[in-house]
Amino acid sequence: MVREKIRISTRTLQWKCVESRVDSKRLYYGRFILSPLMKGQADTIGIAMRRVLLGEIEGTCITRAKSEKISHEYSTIVGIQEPVHEILMNLKEIVLRSNLYGPRDASICFKGPGYVTAEDIILPPSVEIVDNTQHIANLTDPIHFCIELKIERNRGYCIKTLKNSQDGSYPIDAVFMPVKNVNHSIHSYVNGNEKQEILFIEIWTNGSLTPKEALCEASRNLIDLFIPFLHAEEDNFNLENNQHKVTLPLFTFHDILAKARLRKNKKEIALKSIFIDQLELPPRIYNCLKRSNIHTLLELFNNSKEDLMKMEHFRIEDIKYLLDILEIEKNFA
């Protein structure tokens, strides 16, 4: 466990990790402060960060299991101590770490007798198991236990339907949220004639990421949600006949890019604020760019055609697709 003394700055807004510990492989804890804040700001930030930490951060889960030996979700398999329902519940408890985009396949093929654990799962590349000791099943006879799994990365949670599968495939309740709990508290104090506040944020995660990583990702996600408002201008709102009827603009990527081109002296700043997530790219192109640490348009434009072609799975057709999407004549030299 790591603890640090809290030192409050009265000049600039600062954040700091004042406590960090690992309670187990699947339970990380971190405590952070942000100060100095004006009265009311701590509650505004704390509520927003808690909602984003719990609902907007992506996690990886097993979402489906399939086996020819499974006749019903509540059936039993000869030679296996646990019923099928309990095996599915054990699979649900497995914590994964990944940077996946799109579903992936995994599998288990184990010959009994013996204990099947998370370590026996054959995983796709870029997927890791946080706790390999997680129990799955106990095989009491010399039988083959083979099961196919579906792994996905998403946010929030997904509740399975009650419809029975005809091919031995069963959905698993997926809790994608890597943050288990978030608390925020406020300490008020007087600095001269002004009331100021200190925001304390406590974060518990499942081990797939640290509380500090969760806090940074939540901050980026929160910023992304407000990016469209940075480009809002008064002339985008149309008041008709003084009836207070407001026509809201459609903040499409093309509109934002057009404005950036009209302001050549501010182009670089605008491109830094536009993320490739706003382009709605096909998953393969999006994954290629993300794996190469290309997150904004400015980073994309700083790469030449040759640089892009060096990326794994990136093709010349993808460059043409990007040019069509951007509707801009950019010479990748």
Side-chain angles (χ1 to χ4, degrees), residues 233-244:
E233 294 182 356
E234 291 183 1
D235 58 0
N236 287 326
F237 295 87
N238 182 25
L239 296 177
E240 296 180 356
N241 300 325
N242 297 322
Q243 297 299 318
H244 303 288

Side-chain angles (χ1 to χ4, degrees), residues 140-201:
T140 57
D141 295 336
I143 64 171
H144 285 279
F145 176 71
C146 295
I147 188 169
E148 300 175 14
L149 305 173
K150 183 74 70 177
I151 296 176
E152 297 182 55
R153 181 178 172 86
N154 209 327
R155 63 181 184 177
Y157 57 89
C158 179
I159 303 299
K160 66 180 181 179
T161 60
L162 298 178
K163 184 185 296 184
N164 289 331
S165 175
Q166 301 296 326
D167 60 351
S169 176
Y170 294 91
I172 298 175
D173 290 343
V175 181
F176 294 104
M177 298 177 291
V179 177
K180 289 188 171 183
N181 193 19
V182 179
N183 284 337
H184 83 274
S185 57
I186 301 169
H187 171 70
S188 301
Y189 64 99
V190 178
N191 182 20
N193 296 325
E194 184 181 3
K195 286 187 177 181
Q196 294 184 338
E197 298 177 338
I198 306 172
L199 172 64
F200 291 83
I201 299 181

Side-chain angles (χ1 to χ4, degrees), residues 22-207:
V22 179
D23 294 331
S24 68
K25 290 183 178 180
R26 290 187 284 175
L27 185 58
Y28 285 36
Y29 171 80
R31 188 165 180 253
F32 308 87
I33 63 168
L34 181 67
S35 68
L37 295 165
M38 296 175 62
K39 184 179 180 181
Q41 289 182 338
D43 210 26
T44 300
I45 298 173
I47 293 173
M49 288 301 297
R50 185 177 189 276
R51 293 181 66 90
V52 175
L53 282 163
L54 292 175
E56 297 292 332
I57 297 182
E58 293 186 342
T60 306
C61 291
I62 298 174
T63 58
R64 186 170 290 272
K66 179 180 179 181
S67 176
E68 296 179 355
K69 295 184 178 182
I70 298 178
S71 58
H72 190 273
E73 182 179 354
Y74 297 97
S75 64
T76 57
I77 301 176
V78 177
I80 301 180
Q81 179 176 315
E82 294 85 357
V84 172
H85 175 71
E86 187 173 336
I87 294 175
L88 296 177
M89 292 296 294
N90 291 337
L91 290 171
K92 175 184 175 180
E93 294 297 320
I94 295 175
V95 179
L96 301 173
R97 180 191 297 114
S98 80
N99 57 356
L100 291 179
Y101 291 95
R104 295 291 189 275
D105 294 325
S107 62
I108 301 174
C109 193
F110 187 91
K111 182 178 180 181
Y115 291 96
V116 183
T117 64
E119 188 176 11
D120 299 305
I121 300 177
I122 303 173
L123 294 169
S126 73
V127 179
E128 301 177 17
I129 296 176
V130 172
D131 184 5
N132 286 328
T133 64
Q134 170 64 40
H135 177 75
I136 297 177
N138 179 19
L139 276 60
T140 57
D141 295 336
I143 64 171
H144 285 279
F145 176 71
C146 295
I147 188 169
E148 300 175 14
L149 305 173
K150 183 74 70 177
I151 296 176
E152 297 182 55
R153 181 178 172 86
N154 209 327
R155 63 181 184 177
Y157 57 89
C158 179
I159 303 299
K160 66 180 181 179
T161 60
L162 298 178
K163 184 185 296 184
N164 289 331
S165 175
Q166 301 296 326
D167 60 351
S169 176
Y170 294 91
I172 298 175
D173 290 343
V175 181
F176 294 104
M177 298 177 291
V179 177
K180 289 188 171 183
N181 193 19
V182 179
N183 284 337
H184 83 274
S185 57
I186 301 169
H187 171 70
S188 301
Y189 64 99
V190 178
N191 182 20
N193 296 325
E194 184 181 3
K195 286 187 177 181
Q196 294 184 338
E197 298 177 338
I198 306 172
L199 172 64
F200 291 83
I201 299 181
E202 295 178 286
I203 303 173
W204 290 262
T205 69
N206 64 2

Side-chain angles (χ1 to χ4, degrees), residues 255-269:
D255 295 333
I256 296 173
L257 188 57
K259 292 177 183 178
R261 283 157 48 192
L262 289 175
R263 300 169 177 85
K264 293 183 179 180
N265 59 330
K266 297 182 180 179
K267 182 176 181 180
E268 183 172 325
I269 298 176

Side-chain angles (χ1 to χ4, degrees), residues 259-315:
K259 292 177 183 178
R261 283 157 48 192
L262 289 175
R263 300 169 177 85
K264 293 183 179 180
N265 59 330
K266 297 182 180 179
K267 182 176 181 180
E268 183 172 325
I269 298 176
L271 294 179
K272 282 183 179 179
S273 302
I274 303 175
F275 292 81
I276 64 171
D277 307 66
Q278 297 171 257
L279 301 181
E280 298 183 358
L281 297 172
R284 186 176 56 77
I285 298 179
Y286 179 82
N287 294 342
C288 288
L289 296 177
K290 281 289 188 178
R291 283 195 296 265
S292 299
N293 292 321
I294 298 176
H295 305 287
T296 66
L297 280 187
L298 184 61
E299 293 171 345
L300 176 59
F301 289 158
N302 285 338
N303 284 268
S304 66
K305 173 182 176 182
E306 289 73 20
D307 293 333
L308 295 177
M309 290 303 298
K310 290 178 183 178
M311 294 190 303
E312 187 178 3
H313 304 309
F314 204 85
R315 303 175 304 195

